[in-house]
Amino acid sequence: MLHVVDLTYRIDGRLLLDQATVGLPNGARVGLVGRNGCGKSTLLKLITGELSPDGGEVSIPPGRQLGYVAQDALEGPQNLLEAVLEGDRERAALLKEAESATDPHRIADIQVRLADIDAHSAPARAARILAGLGFDEAAQARSLDQFSGGWRMRVALARVLFQEPDLLLLDEPTNYLDLEGTLWLETHLRRYPHTVLLVSHDRSLLNKAVDSIVHLQNGKLNFYRGDYDTFERVRAEQQALSMKLKAKQAAERRRIETFVERFRAKASKAKQAQSRLKALARMQPDPEHVSEGSLSLTFQAPASLPPPLIVADDAEAGYTGSPNVLSRLTFRVDADDRIALLGANGNGKSTLAKLLSGRLAATGGRLRRSKKMSVGYFSQHQLDELDGARSVYHEVRSRMGEEATEAQIRTRAGGLGFKGQHADTPIAALSGGEKARLLLGLIGHEAPHLLILDEPTNHLDVEMRARLIDALNGFEGAVILISHDRYLVEACADRLWLVAAGTVKTYDGDMDSYRSEILESRAERGPAPSRAGEAPPGKSAADQRRRAADARAKLKPVKEALAALEERMETLRVDIQKLDDALAIPSLFEKDPGRAIRYAKKRSDLETALTEAETRWLEQAAILEAAQDSESAA
């Protein structure tokens, strides 16, 4: 479906893509991962043609439709349903032509084509997608201009999902969604009938919605079969092998350096010394395995306080001049609580967070806070409140106090990823992820009794999200968490509160049960059926069952092919591992260079064979899943 060949791209002199090559088979659902700033969004723009490469090419088979959510939110007076339907340009053009066509033959052609693309069910399909993303029937009838930019970005996502392009490109789609919308999208993408390339740092989404991973690192693209957890495990194994190889290489370097120092000046050994110097020059570390550095995040332990931290008794909360957002609030928060707030955007989660933090006063009832309690509060709007003219260094120094030494300040900034001169960067020049990382680190240093985090993972990459999970689980105070990242919620929260219907109640289920309730309430237990999978007009249920039976009969050879490919892939991996172990012996290249070259060539051939086998496995898996989906639909 998509072939990227020797793609090279520079921005401001920095090499983002260095002869990168990868291929995506038809029907693959691929997660594109890599650290913030490595070039993932740039790659999508190169695929769409928005940017032109410095070298190499991107190819998509002719006639295939590409879908991409633009960065600009949709605008206009049309209602949401109309805005989504406009995404199908062929349908819109045919319907418009049908209103004025007079030639009987052309009218017939138009109606046949409208039937072929199932144009008459399009409003229902569009409505289901909008409902899944959080728009009820009343909201769908409102105009685009009545919604904020974030909600209009959801409409843009709904439009591209409705189009069902052959290649769907999504760049951090959950940044505009709440947890409920993310859970729906996860289910929708799992059964998307065409190829998907998804940029995301949401680990749960990458585990549930994709079947393969492309890792962008050091300008190269590497393809891995499986979900994100599988990718991470394979990467860890590769890095362990790399460290073993580096240790052996370091020992060999020391031996060669000792030889050169001893015999460089001796004429009888000069030739051997020069030979060793050339060998030393060839032993440069593989850039793929150079450490990218490590980031740290900690939340300092607070001073002890007697429980409870907060008690609410029939409290109310709202804003001046408007009706109360929340009422009938009765709860308590203790020093060891880990609470995640559930509920769709607009139900009052952020209002509750402000109430708990003391940024919003109760408008009724009773709300008591411990007088000595300190609160660490994080929300996206705070990123914009940072003083852009100050440097990272000065911001860290202001939080650490006058007693902090230069070395301590630099060490603290470095632990947050701002090492050396990077700490002197003005905050205004930082990315969203860098600002979030800085603010979280500053909050953590203040040792709050209660941490309130409102969507802390927006703009954070997977590695920094993992650091945040470790920091929260090691924190000795209380945590209130609002996040669309299901993995973060499941890893850190012990209790769930549901914010809905103007109040807050304890939710006794787990995230799986909540996901089921969300999908049911949004009127879509599964995704909207694809056009190719829908029954043609006039076909009976018996016809559909017969087709499903035929499809099941075809599953056996596909399953057999998958089993054979899995066995071959495992054999190839074992053979590659044996060659890696042999090539890791430092003396091999010196004692028997011919054998070393043969081993290296054989390993390259096996790696190529493994890639081909994995590609065929993905193709067969897509066929199997499509057949199973057809069976379920029947």
Side-chain angles (χ1 to χ4, degrees):
M1 166 53 70
L2 172 69
H3 294 279
V4 176
V5 181
D6 292 334
L7 198 64
T8 300
Y9 187 79
R10 293 175 177 84
I11 182 169
D12 295 331
R14 178 188 170 204
L15 187 61
L16 281 183
L17 295 164
D18 182 13
Q19 294 185 318
T21 298
V22 74
L24 305 186
N26 283 331
R29 295 185 303 279
V30 183
L32 177 59
V33 303
R35 278 194 167 187
N36 279 340
C38 70
K40 302 184 297 297
S41 296
T42 299
L43 177 59
L44 294 192
K45 292 177 181 178
L46 288 165
I47 293 172
T48 63
E50 185 176 340
L51 296 175
S52 299
D54 298 325
E57 64 177 6
V58 176
S59 64
I60 300 171
R64 301 297 179 92
Q65 183 187 12
L66 185 149
Y68 179 61
V69 180
Q71 296 299 312
D72 298 329
L74 294 175
E75 296 180 350
Q78 68 271 44
N79 65 42
L80 304 194
L81 190 60
E82 291 169 344
V84 172
L85 290 171
E86 287 173 0
D88 189 340
R89 296 181 180 178
E90 181 185 12
R91 174 184 175 275
L94 288 170
L95 289 174
K96 184 176 181 180
E97 185 180 357
E99 293 176 358
S100 57
T102 57
D103 178 32
H105 296 291
R106 181 54 187 159
I107 293 174
D109 290 342
I110 291 172
Q111 294 304 319
V112 167
R113 183 55 186 162
L114 286 171
D116 287 343
I117 64 175
D118 201 14
H120 300 294
S121 72
R125 287 188 283 112
R128 282 198 295 269
I129 293 172
L130 283 167
L133 293 175
F135 298 100
D136 59 21
E137 188 174 354
Q140 293 177 27
R142 292 166 56 191
S143 72
L144 271 172
D145 294 338
Q146 296 181 41
F147 291 88
S148 65
W151 284 96
R152 283 185 279 128
M153 287 303 299
R154 290 199 194 195
V155 180
L157 174 60
R159 175 188 277 191
V160 76
L161 293 176
F162 169 72
Q163 292 170 0
E164 278 194 2
D166 300 296
L167 175 59
L168 173 63
L169 305 180
L170 297 176
D171 191 356
E172 291 288 1
T174 60
N175 278 356
Y176 309 105
L177 302 180
D178 51 18
L179 175 62
E180 292 69 22
T182 300
L183 293 174
W184 177 89
L185 180 64
E186 170 192 299
T187 301
H188 192 89
L189 292 180
R190 283 179 66 181
R191 298 182 180 179
Y192 189 76
H194 307 302
T195 308
V196 179
L197 182 58
L198 166 70
V199 174
S200 180
H201 297 296
D202 188 320
R203 187 171 184 140
S204 179
L205 186 65
L206 292 171
N207 274 331
K208 302 289 187 181
V210 306
D211 54 30
S212 47
I213 297 290
V214 168
H215 185 212
L216 175 53
Q217 181 187 39
N218 296 324
K220 303 294 186 183
L221 295 168
N222 294 293
F223 185 93
Y224 296 81
R225 182 174 62 84
D227 58 17
Y228 186 84
D229 283 347
T230 302
F231 155 74
E232 195 172 63
R233 176 179 54 77
V234 173
R235 281 280 298 163
E237 292 170 354
Q238 291 176 342
Q239 289 172 345
L241 176 62
S242 174
M243 294 302 294
K244 181 179 178 182
L245 179 61
K246 283 179 66 177
K248 291 184 178 181
Q249 194 178 63
E252 182 66 5
R253 285 180 65 88
R254 289 192 294 271
R255 188 185 69 79
I256 293 175
E257 287 168 350
T258 301
F259 180 92
V260 171
E261 289 302 316
R262 287 181 60 193
F263 299 112
R264 187 196 298 267
K266 292 188 177 182
S268 61
K269 296 288 186 180
K271 187 173 182 180
Q272 292 94 324
Q274 289 299 319
S275 175
R276 299 297 196 281
L277 281 172
K278 291 178 181 178
L280 196 62
R282 290 194 297 269
M283 292 177 63
Q284 296 302 316
D286 183 350
E288 178 68 17
H289 301 299
V290 173
S291 173
E292 295 182 271
S294 60
L295 302 172
S296 65
L297 180 64
T298 56
F299 296 111
Q300 301 296 323
S304 178
L305 283 180
L309 297 181
I310 303 175
V311 175
D313 184 10
D314 203 27
E316 299 176 348
Y319 302 91
T320 303
S322 301
N324 282 330
V325 177
L326 299 170
S327 59
R328 309 184 308 280
L329 301 177
T330 300
F331 56 75
R332 65 179 279 164
V333 178
D334 292 318
D336 59 350
D337 272 332
R338 303 298 169 94
I339 302 167
L341 304 184
L342 307 178
N345 280 359
N347 280 3
K349 297 192 300 294
S350 294
T351 298
L352 179 60
K354 292 175 183 177
L355 179 69
L356 295 172
S357 70
R359 291 169 177 254
L360 188 66
T363 57
R366 287 174 292 177
L367 184 77
R368 301 190 303 275
R369 299 184 185 84
S370 176
K371 292 182 179 180
K372 296 183 178 181
M373 178 183 68
S374 61
V375 177
Y377 181 77
F378 175 96
S379 67
Q380 290 299 310
H381 72 80
Q382 286 183 297
L383 303 184
D384 299 325
E385 294 175 1
L386 290 169
D387 186 349
R390 302 178 79 176
S391 68
V392 172
Y393 171 85
H394 286 99
E395 189 69 34
V396 173
R397 186 179 70 175
S398 70
R399 302 293 184 104
M400 293 185 69
E402 295 298 327
E403 69 278 5
T405 66
E406 173 83 6
Q408 288 173 330
I409 296 170
R410 294 282 177 183
T411 299
R412 182 68 177 171
L416 296 173
F418 303 99
K419 296 183 178 181
Q421 294 183 345
H422 197 189
D424 300 317
T425 304
I427 290 175
L430 300 180
S431 68
E434 289 171 325
K435 289 179 182 177
R437 196 168 70 217
L438 172 63
L439 187 56
L440 286 168
L442 296 174
I443 292 171
H445 184 75
E446 296 168 353
H449 297 92
L450 172 62
L451 268 176
I452 300 178
L453 306 180
D454 190 349
E455 295 293 358
T457 60
N458 277 3
H459 310 298
L460 294 185
D461 59 27
V462 177
E463 180 177 349
M464 199 59 200
R465 292 184 188 208
R467 299 291 181 273
L468 176 60
I469 289 172
D470 291 341
L472 289 176
N473 287 336
F475 177 53
E476 297 179 13
V479 177
I480 303 291
L481 180 64
I482 302 172
S483 179
H484 64 255
D485 189 327
R486 175 179 174 176
Y487 188 84
L488 177 68
V489 170
E490 291 182 323
C492 298
D494 298 327
R495 300 171 62 194
L496 302 175
W497 286 2
L498 179 60
V499 184
T503 192
V504 179
K505 295 182 179 179
T506 298
Y507 183 78
D508 294 326
D510 58 14
M511 289 304 298
D512 285 332
S513 61
Y514 184 63
R515 173 179 175 274
S516 297
E517 291 177 17
I518 289 301
L519 295 180
E520 183 175 356
S521 68
R522 297 196 173 187
E524 185 176 3
R525 296 181 183 273
S530 67
R531 293 173 182 172
E534 291 176 343
K539 294 294 184 179
S540 66
D543 291 329
Q544 295 181 54
R545 286 193 293 272
R546 279 194 295 273
R547 286 197 302 273
D550 292 339
R552 287 195 296 273
K554 297 177 182 178
L555 293 185
K556 185 177 179 181
V558 175
K559 290 180 178 178
E560 291 175 348
L562 282 171
L565 285 167
E566 287 170 357
E567 183 178 348
R568 173 161 172 73
M569 287 187 292
E570 184 59 32
T571 300
L572 289 169
R573 291 193 189 99
V574 171
D575 292 343
I576 290 172
Q577 183 63 57
K578 290 178 181 177
L579 289 172
D580 284 337
D581 292 341
L583 290 168
I585 301 173
S587 60
L588 176 64
F589 287 87
E590 182 179 349
K591 292 182 177 180
D592 195 347
R595 183 194 296 180
I597 291 172
R598 289 195 301 273
Y599 281 179
K601 184 179 184 305
K602 185 175 181 181
R603 189 197 184 285
S604 177
D605 292 341
L606 291 175
E607 189 70 41
T608 299
L610 179 59
T611 300
E612 292 174 352
E614 288 177 337
T615 299
R616 291 199 300 273
W617 187 96
L618 281 172
E619 292 170 348
Q620 293 297 313
I623 293 171
L624 176 63
E625 185 169 351
Q628 290 173 334
D629 285 347
S630 296
E631 179 182 353
S632 299

